[in-house]
Amino acid sequence: MVSRKDRHGEPLTTVLCGGCGMLRNDPVPSEADLAAFYKSRYRESYKGASEPRRRQVWRNFRRVSDHIVAYRDVYARGGDWLDLGAGSCEFTFLAGRLGARVTAVEPHSGYAAYAAQRLGVQVLAQRLEDCDFAGPSFDLIRLSHVLEHMRDPVAALRQLAGWLRPGGVLYVEVPDIEADARNKVRGRLFHFGHIHNFNPVLLRHVAGLAGLVELPQTAARSAGRCGVFLVVGEGGQCDAAALAANAARMRAAMAAHNARTIPEPAQGTAAGRFLLTLRARAQEQLAGMLGGSPRKIAEAASARLERSVLAG
């Protein structure tokens, strides 16, 4: 056991697996509890609002645009895409403008309504467990900050792998709990909705257990990150020695987090990071205000992305 409280100070037990280093809520919530939570309470609990604030809209479009440009060689494939856990649908909007046929799935009713009303994006307001796509249906699937919410991450990835067409690609991104343990104040680490907590080693190992391996053309760019492009293949999981070493590493990271009183980021200082965060928030607030409505921010982001992709 590494923690008895969530980031809001509410009771939440988190345990660490001595064999691999996975951090998991204990007990795992039931399907019924999760369905109710994600439908109406998750965004309010995690973001404090039932739809994104203007500064978040601007920031999200900027981040998604930068990601697409960095991996333009992957996203140039086009075809039928699935944005699962689409959130406020920045990726869905931009991908559609680049010519992909995108199916968006988002369980939170408020965010699904926001995407439809503000961005003109059609969204299936449901969870992965409610989806019934028939066999291989997609050329690319995106799962950004979703896998950590799954009761069984391996089973979820196996299901998604079954929806990929031959040669299809799955992008999975999760929070890096090891980095967060350095960057966040003690006691502000865990959340009811984040059932499983990954570092880069565990993300790739879990993918390997599901019959997925890292896409060779992006491996160098994604090294050491908790964002990875995957394809169907064997041999992605770690051996017992590597997992034991990762468990020791994660145990040390949690002990250090629980012992320190201020964050110790890998680069810079806690004070410097705090000031940079304040500066970024102020810039995002101003950019969101000047950008106009969410749709105007979306259109501007789309135009910038199209120019960047053409320039590349």
Side-chain angles (χ1 to χ4, degrees):
M1 193 275 297
V2 297
S3 176
R4 296 186 183 278
K5 301 284 186 180
D6 71 1
R7 63 184 62 180
H8 304 299
E10 298 297 324
L12 179 71
T13 299
T14 303
V15 296
L16 185 148
C17 173
C20 69
M22 178 71 78
L23 289 152
R24 175 182 60 79
N25 293 354
D26 185 38
V28 172
S30 69
E31 277 293 341
D33 287 343
L34 288 176
F37 178 69
Y38 288 115
K39 180 177 179 61
S40 60
R41 301 199 308 275
Y42 167 61
R43 297 293 176 181
E44 290 81 356
S45 173
Y46 195 61
K47 295 293 187 181
S50 59
E51 65 176 49
R53 298 177 178 88
R54 196 74 56 85
R55 67 173 177 82
Q56 293 169 331
V57 173
W58 184 88
R59 179 182 64 202
N60 291 346
F61 270 110
R62 183 191 62 180
R63 288 179 174 176
V64 170
S65 296
D66 289 347
H67 169 77
I68 292 175
V69 170
Y71 296 97
R72 61 167 66 91
D73 52 327
V74 180
Y75 291 115
R77 65 183 50 231
D80 295 299
W81 296 2
L82 172 64
D83 190 5
L84 185 66
S88 40
C89 286
E90 292 85 8
F91 179 84
T92 300
F93 184 93
L94 293 176
R97 291 304 180 91
L98 292 178
R101 298 177 294 274
V102 189
T103 299
V105 176
E106 168 54 42
H108 187 270
S109 57
Y111 267 52
Y114 158 86
Q117 296 166 8
R118 303 294 187 92
L119 300 182
V121 172
Q122 295 305 308
V123 184
L124 300 176
Q126 57 193 42
R127 299 170 63 218
L128 169 64
E129 294 77 5
D130 305 317
C131 296
D132 59 352
F133 302 112
S137 303
F138 300 103
D139 302 291
L140 185 144
I141 299 175
R142 178 179 184 261
L143 199 69
S144 181
H145 290 244
V146 175
L147 190 65
E148 67 271 20
H149 301 273
M150 299 297 183
R151 299 183 76 247
D152 187 338
V154 175
L157 290 177
R158 283 176 179 154
Q159 183 174 354
L160 295 175
W163 291 345
L164 287 174
R165 290 172 177 159
V169 175
L170 169 63
Y171 178 70
V172 182
E173 182 177 324
V174 295
D176 184 342
I177 194 66
E178 190 175 358
D180 285 347
R182 295 191 302 267
N183 296 332
K184 292 189 176 183
V185 176
R186 181 175 60 191
R188 299 286 294 174
L189 201 54
F190 301 109
H191 189 279
F192 171 82
H194 290 191
I195 301 170
H196 294 88
N197 297 272
F198 300 84
N199 70 352
V201 172
L202 289 170
L203 175 59
R204 287 157 177 80
H205 175 65
V206 167
L209 293 175
L212 294 158
V213 295
E214 192 161 2
L215 181 67
Q217 74 190 69
T218 61
R221 280 173 281 174
S222 300
R225 298 184 179 184
C226 272
V228 59
F229 288 90
L230 302 163
V231 292
V232 174
E234 297 299 326
Q237 61 266 43
C238 300
D239 61 28
L243 290 175
N246 191 66
R249 176 174 172 167
M250 293 299 293
R251 190 179 295 109
M254 292 305 108
H257 172 77
N258 288 329
R260 68 173 60 104
T261 56
I262 60 174
E264 293 182 8
Q267 297 180 343
T269 64
R273 183 181 175 85
F274 176 72
L275 292 174
L276 287 174
T277 299
L278 287 181
R279 180 181 178 184
R281 288 284 178 89
Q283 291 174 336
E284 292 165 1
Q285 187 74 26
L286 179 61
M289 292 172 58
L290 296 177
S293 68
R295 184 58 181 258
K296 288 184 177 180
I297 294 173
E299 296 288 356
S302 176
R304 287 194 301 270
L305 178 61
E306 289 172 4
R307 290 194 297 269
S308 298
V309 170
L310 289 173

